[in-house]
Amino acid sequence: MNAPHIVIHRHDVGLYEWSLQFGQEEINRETGDASIAECLIDAIGTFPESEKLVQITYRGVHMGTFHTSEIHEHSAGVAGRIVASYAELVQHL
């Protein structure tokens, strides 16, 4: 299965960039979102509603595969889980 992949980079506090990839091909990219939740909503808004799953990478760390409906309905909660998971992973580096 080849699910779309959202890659999010944090450039500074309140300055994020996302890209959307299918396989090895980058489909879309945007810089200037103010939060991870904004990145998620903007990115999933660029691919077909028929896509039910999406992979997410934050700051170079794969965060998992999520249902697109969960992102639509609870983007702030998903963003919070991503931040918490990332913080937990990097504290051990």
Side-chain angles (χ1 to χ4, degrees), residues 11-81:
H11 294 289
D12 204 348
V13 175
L15 179 59
Y16 294 83
E17 174 184 356
W18 61 265
S19 64
L20 176 64
Q21 303 170 353
F22 279 92
Q24 298 299 320
E25 183 178 354
E26 183 176 278
I27 303 300
N28 208 339
R29 172 183 295 270
E30 184 175 301
T31 302
D33 285 342
S35 69
I36 295 168
E38 263 186 48
C39 289
L40 294 171
I41 290 297
D42 288 350
I44 64 169
T46 66
F47 61 81
E49 288 184 27
S50 61
E51 295 291 341
K52 301 299 182 202
L53 298 174
V54 61
Q55 298 178 54
I56 298 173
T57 296
Y58 176 62
R59 297 176 79 174
V61 179
H62 189 264
M63 295 285 114
T65 303
F66 295 81
H67 288 275
T68 56
S69 62
E70 181 180 17
I71 294 170
H72 280 293
E73 296 168 14
H74 307 287
S75 61
V78 171
R81 289 192 344 239

